[in-house]
Amino acid sequence: MNQMLHTPEGVRDIYDGELLRKESIASSMMDSIRGFGYEKIQTPTFEFFDIFGNDVGTTPSKDLYKFFDKEGNTLVLRPDITPSIARAASKYFLDRGDEWLRLCYEGNVYINNESLQGRLKESTQLGAELIGQTDVEGDAEIVSMAIDAMLSAGFSDFKISLGHVAIFKGLMEACGFSKYETEEIADFINNKNSFGLMDYLDRSGISDDKKALFKMLTTFYSEPAEWSDMTVASKDYPVIVSALEYLRKLDSLLKAKAKSEYVTYELGLISPYKYYTGILFYGYTYDVGEPVVKGGRYDKLLGYFGKDAPAVGFAVSVDVLSMAQKSQALADAPAKDERYLTVALGKGRLAQSAMELFEKIGIFAPEMKDKSSRKLIFVNEEKKMRFFLAKGPDVPTYVEHGAADIGIVGEDTILEEGRNIYEVLDLGFGACRMCVCGPPEAAEYLKSQELIRVATKYPHIAKNYFNDRKGQTVEIIKLNGSIELAPIVGLSEVIVDIVETGSTLRENGLTVLEEVVPLSARVVVNQVSMKMENERITELISKLKEVV
């Protein structure tokens, strides 16, 4: 086929029914937003690089589409429209004397996502920004408007997850963690990896009372009354207490607006966009594996453009919503209590051990034990659960994209794949280690920081260990077969591989030189499923924890 007929990866042509569906969603949402008195604004598709630079705290430079004009200026295709709105508001509006400025927008954004991740690189975003409003009433208006926009597009089964950036920041300051430590802790919290977080905190040496406060960062709440014990426990940390009280006031306003049924609270919310200063929120619905709404308060962003003014806003991913609407077939959507939880299991011993645990908590799928069965999906009608087997590296992919609500897979696969999923429970079985191995004399290379060659099936884990943790430059060689062969024949000085008993290493004159990370089977959960099916999934995880 003529290559000129293809579009580049991550962009596409949209036409016929799909385009009509997308335009209908955008039109309905924009009408709803403008009904709140918001005026539409259009900003350029590309801007100067500094609009989205590190100081502003938006998209990482490596994910931007950059190019140069004839004068040598670095330009970028916008990855996010909010900074453009902040720039335009600073230039045109803030000197007019308007007490509050209400702006809305619709346009395409461009992010150079990694290949083969199933993510669009060009997508349509619409949203609204309330500028000049400082108090909780403005936040309530924006959250209510996001909810009404979802309802106007025909969605009724969705959740807005609310948090506040000051809770995490206040806790980091109270504990005195460094920037590097803060980033490591943020990874645990973003992944809802409570067991990994507690292990890290145990090694950090912080007091038990501070450690107890971290529980609220990995917990989901339906209303402020549920975190009252955390408010009491935080009494010595005014930044945290103030943020919790702010969310309580916001909850009261949302109840008064009859919007609270769509809201849950996630006190550990952390945004990759560094310009947020107050509330954060994400919106989720079924059949897509990522947020469809993102928003929050950014009181310092306009200051980068010379005009200090508080602001709060939100953005909607129209393309993701369009996919959700198609999948849900809204007119014939099943009742919530009829929905099945889908579990992806890594093939082999891991799946067998996992099903033994499920059987201990009263969940059976006897057909999975039938070796002659040609079925791909196994159903427990009583518990409304489905199981399927997949290759280990595919399990995080199924979970990230929402094809499975829950997955059980090895920690090595989770680390290597780097998917956006929640890691919620260590099942304990399949315990082993990821190690740096080689002949005994290779230990000197690791001490001297010399450039060495590393052979591995796990290039991402190896790169993270040597580059980020050790600060050692290495040449990584990806292999698929017997890794132990590489240092023996001179392909590499060392290897990074899984070690169980170490017998293969010893038989070939190799030894463990450094341990990278302990490994075992873990339970992972889709981010959207954790919000939409929180009660069922939390109950399931609790029961599994009792029998581990």
Side-chain angles (χ1 to χ4, degrees), residues 434-445:
M434 183 72 69
C435 297
V436 180
C437 308
E441 58 269 22
E444 294 302 316
Y445 294 123

Side-chain angles (χ1 to χ4, degrees), residues 341-346 350-351 354 358 385-388 390-392 394-400 402-411 413-414 421-427 429 520-527 529 537 540-541 544:
L341 282 182
T342 301
V343 182
L345 304 173
L350 187 147
F358 278 111
M385 292 187 67
R386 303 189 303 175
F387 298 87
F388 68 87
K391 287 188 175 181
D394 294 337
V395 171
T397 304
Y398 282 115
V399 175
E400 181 187 40
D405 301 289
I406 300 168
I408 296 181
V409 69
E411 174 72 353
T413 302
I414 296 169
I421 52 181
Y422 290 151
E423 184 180 342
V424 298
L425 183 62
D426 184 351
L427 294 175
F429 60 80
S520 58
R522 308 295 169 92
V523 179
V524 295
V525 180
N526 172 264
Q527 294 185 0
S529 300
I537 292 176
L540 179 65
I541 299 304
L544 287 173

Side-chain angles (χ1 to χ4, degrees), residues 153-215:
F155 292 88
S156 57
D157 211 347
F158 64 91
K159 289 293 182 183
I160 301 293
S161 189
L162 267 165
H164 198 296
V165 299
I167 297 172
F168 176 74
K169 288 182 178 179
L171 195 46
M172 294 301 100
E173 291 170 2
C175 295
F177 286 121
S178 67
K179 180 180 179 182
Y180 176 75
E181 290 171 326
T182 297
E183 290 174 351
E184 287 194 308
I185 291 170
D187 284 339
F188 286 122
I189 293 169
N190 280 331
N191 294 330
K192 296 297 177 284
N193 186 352
S194 56
F195 58 87
L197 175 62
M198 288 301 114
D199 181 60
Y200 186 93
L201 295 176
D202 286 340
R203 299 196 306 270
S204 73
I206 66 169
S207 63
D208 289 341
D209 65 314
K210 290 177 181 175
K211 199 184 304 178
L213 291 176
F214 279 87
K215 177 186 175 183

Side-chain angles (χ1 to χ4, degrees), residues 249-293:
K249 291 179 181 177
L250 178 57
D251 183 76
S252 296
L253 290 173
L254 293 173
K255 279 186 169 70
K257 295 174 180 287
K259 297 294 190 293
S260 59
E261 67 175 290
Y262 301 103
V263 174
T264 61
Y265 292 89
E266 188 178 350
L267 304 183
L269 276 183
I270 304 170
S271 173
Y273 290 169
K274 298 176 183 177
Y275 55 68
Y276 286 118
T277 58
I279 69 160
L280 274 176
F281 61 92
Y282 292 95
Y284 302 89
T285 190
Y286 285 114
D287 296 316
V288 288
E290 59 187 295
V292 294
V293 180

